[in-house]
């Protein structure tokens, strides 16, 4: 039974993200961390977790937790590297090429990048997604009593999945991208040692 304070289309993927954490990971970074819920979960697997967000109001709602440090920053300005880097519903807040290039630099050799993202859907290119809608509606209904979120800033995605795939193929060779339920894609990339 989850002890999360709420469920939404992003927290739905927290278990998937935790599965991607490499066994050797000591440090983790969550970009666009909001109220730090994922950062606190990463701290159960890593010794030191940094969460960054450009919105100080949402950061102010975050409870403190051992081994978790949250700060106001644009992830594109960071220059450390981390064994695990996560981005949930945040990459589409910046131009895709800038964002992916910045994320690539933040992953330590042997580290992992896990992205849960949104893309700009089009009825023609995303027609295969339509049969998933009843399942999404079903999950929304099943979780209706726990729906909630951090009150973070949201933005409509500007890039198609084809555009995201093209940038990832160039900057993150070997990245695996999959369309998922809840209007999300997942991307996982392991930086070679
Ligand atoms: C849709 S919210 C997602 C928040 C959280 N990851 C979640 O799953 O609930 C996107 C977050 O990204 C933050 N953000 C947008 N651009 C950013 C940037 N360049 N650097 C750091 N955070 C950013 C926003 O302030 C917002 O809190």
């Amino acid at each position: 039974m989850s002890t999360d304070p709420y469920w939404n289309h992003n927290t739905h993927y927290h278990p998937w993200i935790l599965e991607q954490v490499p066994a050797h990971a000591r440090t983790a970074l969550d970009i666009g961390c909001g109220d730090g819920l994922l950062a606190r979960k990463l701290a159960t697997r890593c010794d030191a977790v940094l969460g960054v967000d450009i919105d100080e109001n949402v950061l102010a709602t975050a409870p403190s937790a051992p081994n978790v440090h949250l700060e106001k920053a644009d992830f594109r300005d960071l220059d450390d590297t981390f064994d695990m880097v996560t981005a949930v519903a945040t990459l589409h807040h910046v131009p895709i090429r800038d964002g992916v290039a910045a994320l690539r630099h933040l992953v330590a050799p042997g580290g992992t990048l896990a992205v849960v993202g949104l893309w700009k859907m089009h009825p023609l290119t995303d027609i295969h997604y339509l049969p998933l809608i009843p399942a999404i509606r079903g999950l929304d209904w099943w979780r209706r009593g726990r729906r909630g979120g951090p009150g973070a800033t949201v933005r409509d995605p500007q890039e198609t999945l084809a555009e995201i795939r093209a940038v990832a193929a160039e900057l993150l060779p070997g990245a695996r991208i999959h369309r998922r339920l809840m209007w999300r894609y997942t991307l996982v990339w392991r930086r070679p040692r």
Side-chain angles (χ1 to χ4, degrees):
M1 189 66 171
S2 170
T3 56
D4 287 2
Y6 52 78
W7 175 90
N8 61 40
H9 292 178
N10 299 326
T11 64
H12 182 75
Y13 288 97
H14 287 183
W16 176 81
I17 289 172
L18 294 178
E19 284 170 15
Q20 309 311 313
V21 178
H24 72 272
R26 295 287 169 266
T27 60
L29 168 70
D30 182 37
I31 66 140
C33 64
D35 64 358
L37 179 59
L38 177 58
R40 293 191 292 282
K41 294 180 186 180
L42 289 167
T44 65
R45 308 287 298 275
C46 300
D47 299 334
V49 180
L50 174 65
V52 297
D53 202 293
I54 51 169
D55 180 355
E56 59 195 351
N57 293 322
V58 74
L59 287 172
T61 67
S64 61
N67 304 330
V68 176
H69 175 69
L70 305 183
E71 67 182 35
K72 182 182 177 187
D74 186 320
F75 73 93
R76 293 169 293 178
D77 296 334
L78 302 176
D79 49 18
D80 282 345
T81 61
F82 301 82
D83 300 321
M84 180 72 193
V85 177
T86 58
V88 178
T90 299
L91 186 54
H92 67 284
H93 283 245
V94 302
I96 186 69
R97 181 171 288 276
D98 284 5
V100 172
L103 287 173
R104 179 183 59 175
H105 286 298
L106 292 167
V107 182
T112 295
L113 168 66
V115 175
V116 175
L118 289 74
W119 75 96
K120 183 178 179 180
M121 293 208 176
H122 189 280
L124 288 181
T125 49
D126 292 302
I127 194 156
H128 297 106
Y129 202 80
L130 299 182
L132 301 182
I133 292 175
I136 296 172
R137 297 282 179 249
L139 276 165
D140 282 342
W141 183 85
W142 181 50
R143 296 287 203 167
R144 65 195 180 287
R146 296 186 50 76
R147 284 298 290 268
T153 308
V154 297
R155 182 176 195 262
D156 287 335
Q158 305 298 310
E159 287 99 7
T160 66
L161 196 58
E163 290 165 335
I164 295 165
R165 284 186 192 279
V167 171
E170 184 185 336
L171 299 180
L172 304 173
R176 286 179 285 121
I177 299 179
H178 296 288
R179 264 187 275 226
R180 304 281 191 186
L181 288 174
M182 321 322 288
W183 320 104
R184 300 290 184 269
Y185 70 86
T186 58
L187 177 156
V188 65
W189 178 67
R190 316 230 183 246
R191 186 182 193 106
R193 286 188 185 276

